[in-house]
Structures are given as structure tokens and as C-alpha cells.
Amino acid sequence: MNRSRTRLITALSSAAALLATAGCGAADMTKQASPFAAPAGVKTVTLSVQSWVGAQANVAVAEQLLKEKLGYRVDLVQTDEVPAWDALSQGRVDAILEDWGHPDQEKLYIDEKKTIVRGGDLGVTGHIGWYVPKYWADKNPDVTDWKNLNKYADELKTAESGGKGQLMDGSPSYVTNDVALVKNLDLDYKVVFAGSEAAQITQIQQFAKEKKPFLSYWYQPQWLFNEVPMVQVKLPEYTDECAAKDPKDIDCAYPTTPLQKFLNADFAQRGGDASAFLKKFHWSEKDQNEVSEMIASQKLTPQEAAKRWIERHPDVWKKWLPKN
């Protein structure tokens, strides 16, 4: 099952931005060369940066260590979820450090074209769901069961939801099941897109400040739970059979997903210390949230946040360095 979530877009120290669309034409794009030309004798690695803050945290820490400990030049390319796979297959990026599950792309690029290989677990388990604020659930405990959501639709109406209850999503550019779930579960709700993770966070913070009820697509790990405690709404149980349905027919909860890394196949073989390092990159939800919160809440740049985390946790990252 594809996952999607809205994400905070922060300033990136990118050498370039990848312009791509989610759709692919008939041409075989896997033979295109990287847009970066490394000067002779300079070791380089190019990392995909998806726009959510957890992914930025991964890349920022990897970037700092690749530069400072292994002597690489690091280029960053910002990509959306599906185009990131296309770019990785093409060799336009060398690695994706956080993927929430794209079985169609895995089948095409890993099993069939063999242009991408698995890079191992990130160490973080992801889960998407629908959430309400704890202060509201404490007063209305039955709201945490989807079967009771229609009872509360009037309380969740907004100017954007057209007379229905609002289910707040983030960016329309990501793949979610929410429109299908609303329809297939016969809920009196409308999915309203905030536009980005940043906008969604701002809206949740404003609702919480005013102690207003809300229903939102959200996910773990996410630092915002520390600031705005939320309770998950129980949806129909996830099954593999449900996940295999046509997307418009999905009527169950999202899966729990061990987040994965993926490498360009050629880079995985010839990437030397950089490839070995990225395969070993493995940290906890607590580690990722520590960096994410510094970026999103404390407004540090990803590089500043990474530097602070690296200074505090040598016991974690030293295990990722290749042994000479």
C-alpha cells in the first residue's frame, strides 16, 4: 500500500531541485545520467529529500556525517514520493532514506528492471491514521470509533467542507486512502487539503490553542504529538486483502510500516564508503523526532539540527561508519 503524508518543507542546501511529475511515459527513463558532474577526484553522493520533516532529519544527519567523517561532497535533490523512485532508478539520486511502501515501484524497479536494491530498515516504524485531539476525545470517548463519526460531523464543519464534517489532510500531491474511506464507510465528511505539512501543523496548532475539535489524517513518528496530544480513531482493521483492492475501493485502516531505505543498484555496488554507511544508517523514532522537532518547532536549519544531534549521540552514529 502506498503511503502519503503531508510534510513540512524547509530550506534545503540542495545543489539542484528535481523537476518531475508522478506520471511516467512509455519511454525507458532508467538510462538517464545524473545531473551532477563530479570534478575529477571528488567523491560525491546524491540523496533524495522528500518534503516531510522526518525525511529531512534523516538526510541532514547523513549529509553531515558523509561530509565530515567520510570526505564526500553531498548533493540533495528534493522529490515527491513516486518521482523519487524514478530518479533513483535513473541514477539521478543514489539513495532514498525513508520510504513508506510503494509495491508497484518495488516490483518495477527491484524485481523487473533491477535498477534499485533494498538498503535495509531505517529503524523507524511508521503508521498513518485519523486522529482527534485528546482534549476532545476525553470529553467524547466514543469519537475514537469510526462508527460514531457521523454523530460529530456537525461539530467538525468548516467553511471549506461544504456542509459536511471536515477531515483534514495535508498535500494533495501524496497518495492517501481518505477520499475512498469517507465514501466507502458512508461518512458525512469531506476531505479538505491544508496544502502542505507546514500548513496542516499550523492548523492543528490553531485548533489546539482554541480548544476546538478536529479530525485529521496524521502519522507517527511525528514530533507534534509532544505539543498537541492526539488520539487515534479506530478504523476497520487493516488486512492484506483490503490493501490489495483497487484504491477507490479501500475500506480499512492504514498498515503499520517498518520504514525502508533504497539504493540505486549501481551505487550500492560501486558507492564505496558512502554506500556502506547508508546501508548501516539505522536509528530510532526518538532520534528522528529529536532532529525533526529542532527543525520544525525550534526553527533550526536541518544542518544545525543535525550538528546538535551528532554532538549528543556519538554512540549511535559511530556504528554506521565503515570499518577501515
Side-chain angles (χ1 to χ4, degrees):
M1 172 181 289
N2 287 350
R3 62 85 62 187
S4 157
R5 60 187 205 188
T6 55
R7 301 162 158 102
L8 174 65
I9 300 178
T10 59
L12 300 173
S13 60
S14 300
L18 178 66
L19 301 178
T21 60
C24 295
D28 183 353
M29 301 295 287
T30 63
K31 304 302 182 184
Q32 292 191 6
S34 169
F36 302 112
V42 176
K43 300 187 298 182
T44 67
V45 59
T46 304
L47 302 178
S48 170
V49 189
Q50 287 93 334
S51 59
W52 62 96
V53 70
Q56 293 177 13
N58 304 326
V59 171
V61 170
E63 176 191 17
Q64 293 280 320
L65 292 171
L66 283 164
K67 285 180 176 179
E68 296 176 5
K69 304 302 179 183
L70 299 177
Y72 280 81
R73 189 187 84 183
V74 181
D75 294 313
L76 307 182
V77 177
Q78 186 169 331
T79 53
D80 286 335
E81 286 179 276
V82 174
W85 280 80
D86 302 332
L88 187 62
S89 175
Q90 296 162 15
R92 297 174 69 85
V93 299
D94 296 317
I96 296 171
L97 298 186
E98 180 175 314
D99 185 85
W100 286 61
H102 291 86
D104 291 345
Q105 282 67 37
E106 291 181 36
K107 182 175 184 295
L108 174 63
Y109 292 130
I110 296 177
D111 299 335
E112 297 176 7
K113 292 186 179 293
K114 303 188 185 301
T115 52
I116 293 175
V117 298
R118 303 181 190 281
D121 288 346
L122 174 64
V124 177
T125 297
H127 179 66
I128 296 168
W130 292 0
Y131 290 84
V132 295
K134 185 176 184 300
Y135 55 77
W136 190 44
D138 286 345
K139 295 179 180 179
N140 304 280
D142 64 335
V143 77
T144 59
D145 189 321
W146 72 270
K147 296 176 183 177
N148 301 317
L149 285 177
N150 281 344
K151 173 182 172 183
Y152 295 95
D154 283 347
E155 290 188 51
L156 296 172
K157 289 180 181 177
T158 67
E160 294 80 18
S161 62
K164 297 178 179 289
Q166 174 177 283
L167 169 58
M168 181 167 50
D169 271 39
S171 169
S173 70
Y174 295 99
V175 183
T176 75
N177 300 328
D178 292 348
V179 172
L181 283 167
V182 166
K183 177 179 179 294
N184 296 328
L185 299 180
D186 196 24
L187 297 176
D188 190 24
Y189 284 78
K190 179 182 178 181
V191 176
V192 177
F193 295 96
S196 68
E197 183 183 71
Q200 192 175 12
I201 287 172
T202 298
Q203 186 64 75
I204 289 173
Q205 290 172 324
Q206 186 61 37
F207 280 134
K209 181 179 180 181
E210 299 173 8
K211 295 296 182 184
K212 289 184 177 180
F214 63 84
L215 172 66
S216 186
Y217 160 98
W218 207 232
Y219 41 85
Q220 299 184 45
Q222 230 295 335
W223 64 271
L224 188 63
F225 284 103
N226 297 332
E227 182 178 317
V228 182
M230 289 180 263
V231 180
Q232 187 170 3
V233 174
K234 182 180 179 181
L235 292 170
E237 185 177 0
Y238 170 85
T239 65
D240 291 339
E241 291 76 17
C242 174
K245 293 180 180 180
D246 187 284
K248 69 178 184 299
D249 296 325
I250 296 291
D251 58 0
C252 64
Y254 291 88
T256 297
T257 307
L259 305 184
Q260 301 295 308
K261 301 170 294 178
F262 293 92
L263 307 179
N264 173 273
D266 185 64
F267 170 77
Q269 285 192 328
R270 305 172 191 270
D273 285 348
S275 173
F277 167 82
L278 294 173
K279 290 174 184 176
K280 289 185 175 183
F281 189 105
H282 184 278
W283 63 351
S284 68
E285 176 179 332
K286 181 179 178 182
D287 290 321
Q288 188 188 79
N289 277 343
E290 182 179 339
V291 180
S292 296
E293 188 164 7
M294 285 190 280
I295 296 169
S297 183
Q298 300 175 28
K299 307 303 181 185
L300 272 64
T301 67
Q303 291 71 31
E304 290 170 338
K307 182 178 180 181
R308 291 192 184 184
W309 184 88
I310 288 168
E311 289 173 349
R312 297 169 184 169
H313 300 284
D315 57 317
V316 178
W317 59 259
K318 284 186 177 179
K319 299 174 183 177
W320 309 338
L321 299 178
K323 295 180 179 179
N324 296 323

